[in-house]
Amino acid sequence: MASTGNEKIILTERGSSFGYQNLVVDMRSFPIMRKFGYPVVFDVTHSVQLPGGEGKSSGGQPEFIEPLARAGAAVGIDGVFLEVHENPAKALSDGTNALPLNQFRPLIRKLQRLSALAREWATP
């Protein structure tokens, strides 16, 4: 059988639009997607985006990055996608929903600890 070059599948959760310029993440989606046997990645910073929230551009709620990332780790995600910037206010794109660079390493450490605990408690 010929290879298509696309054998690596990753399932991603980014939030679904839910009125009033909100994206909502249904935490049930993570264990559901994991049942397919592929890695599941949570696009955390996209999920805190407020489409059209700034009028002509998207806004964001970066204060929810860490709580949502921790919740994803607790339910067994395999990875996170994060927009990270040294100075989000000066970012050319997605600054309103970016994690400041100085918060990246501490957050990743917390997520690693939570992930290890979640996998220890995982049911088959």
Side-chain angles (χ1 to χ4, degrees):
M1 181 172 183
S3 172
T4 63
N6 197 15
E7 289 79 23
K8 305 257 181 199
I9 296 175
I10 296 175
L11 303 176
T12 306
E13 171 62 62
R14 307 180 75 210
S16 299
S17 188
F18 183 75
Y20 306 111
Q21 290 82 33
N22 277 305
L23 292 175
V24 176
V25 174
D26 182 350
M27 291 294 162
R28 296 174 299 175
S29 68
F30 297 120
I32 290 169
M33 288 190 293
R34 285 192 54 82
K35 288 181 181 179
F36 290 107
Y38 300 110
V40 175
V41 174
F42 182 14
D43 188 342
V44 180
T45 48
H46 185 272
S47 72
V48 300
Q49 191 177 63
L50 299 172
E54 299 287 321
K56 293 184 178 181
S57 64
S58 292
Q61 295 177 309
E63 67 271 21
F64 295 116
I65 293 171
E66 182 171 330
L68 288 174
R70 290 189 334 237
V75 295
I77 59 170
D78 296 294
V80 293
F81 179 89
L82 299 165
E83 300 282 352
V84 178
H85 195 278
E86 187 173 82
N87 184 350
K90 295 194 184 254
L92 297 178
S93 175
D94 295 329
T96 58
N97 54 295
L99 181 73
L101 180 60
N102 65 348
Q103 294 177 23
F104 176 72
R105 192 176 305 271
L107 176 58
I108 293 301
R109 286 184 181 130
K110 289 177 187 177
L111 297 180
Q112 288 173 325
R113 291 173 58 202
L114 276 168
S115 179
L117 184 59
R119 291 186 193 289
E120 183 181 316
W121 288 350
T123 57

